[in-house]
Amino acid sequence: MSPLIFRNANEADAEGIASVLQELVAAGKRQSASDSEFARVHYITHSNNLRCTVAEDEDGNILGFQALILAIEDNPYGAPVGWGVIGTHIRPTAARRGIGRQLFERTHAAAQANNLEAIDATIGANNPEGLNYYEAMGFRDYRVSDGAISKAFRLR
């Protein structure tokens, strides 16, 4: 297995991030298709972005990414104001390589550096891989609504 590189995302990563999202849609693991502009606005340059980390192979192909944004008032996730909101996306072809765990190490450090109380992960109730991943990272259920389960990772 080739070495993985983890780094902060930049605008040049928008197409690679969109490709990850599109592969997830094709595999039936994500509902909405996303293009590079969506990836740029929602993950890389989001106004409340705390960190977006990409995992890439030695050839520069993005295998997955994890974003952490700050929850503000009336956020679309319903997360408490001041918490972080996390999103994790890994290509199905890159699953089971420890990418998610290594991404979370960096996201956890960013959450601590920003003095967050907790991180929210809202996952579709029909996404057992996502639910199991967040549970393995230490997230615990705190809310259930409209076919989704919200888990919290408490930092303090």
Side-chain angles (χ1 to χ4, degrees):
M1 193 178 311
S2 60
L4 299 174
I5 299 159
F6 294 86
R7 60 174 178 77
N8 289 336
N10 61 58
E11 290 197 47
D13 295 321
E15 191 61 44
I17 287 173
S19 175
V20 170
L21 297 172
Q22 291 160 3
E23 189 173 313
L24 288 164
V25 169
K29 297 183 179 292
R30 179 179 167 85
Q31 300 295 314
S32 55
S34 303
D35 61 15
S36 59
E37 182 62 12
F38 177 91
R40 188 183 67 72
V41 169
H42 285 86
Y43 299 113
I44 301 169
T45 63
H46 191 283
S47 60
N48 298 316
N49 183 31
L50 297 174
R51 179 165 183 127
C52 183
T53 305
V54 295
E56 61 185 10
D57 64 17
E58 60 190 359
D59 296 324
N61 299 306
I62 295 178
L63 303 177
F65 68 97
Q66 190 168 74
L68 179 67
I69 63 168
L70 180 65
I72 59 170
E73 204 162 322
D74 297 323
N75 68 79
Y77 312 100
V81 172
W83 283 26
V85 177
I86 192 172
T88 306
H89 307 279
I90 298 171
R91 290 184 190 278
T93 54
R96 312 301 303 165
R97 292 178 55 184
I99 293 170
R101 184 169 300 282
Q102 292 181 70
L103 285 168
F104 187 64
E105 288 174 9
R106 287 142 179 96
T107 299
H108 181 253
Q112 289 177 312
N114 283 280
N115 201 31
L116 299 181
E117 179 181 333
I119 303 171
D120 167 274
T122 299
I123 309 107
N126 61 348
N127 180 351
E129 294 98 344
L131 293 167
N132 290 337
Y133 165 74
Y134 285 110
E135 191 74 21
M137 295 302 103
F139 286 73
R140 299 297 176 254
D141 296 2
Y142 80 95
R143 183 180 69 209
V144 177
S145 61
D146 298 332
I149 298 171
S150 294
K151 294 180 171 289
F153 183 91
R154 307 277 178 182
L155 291 141
R156 49 186 167 103

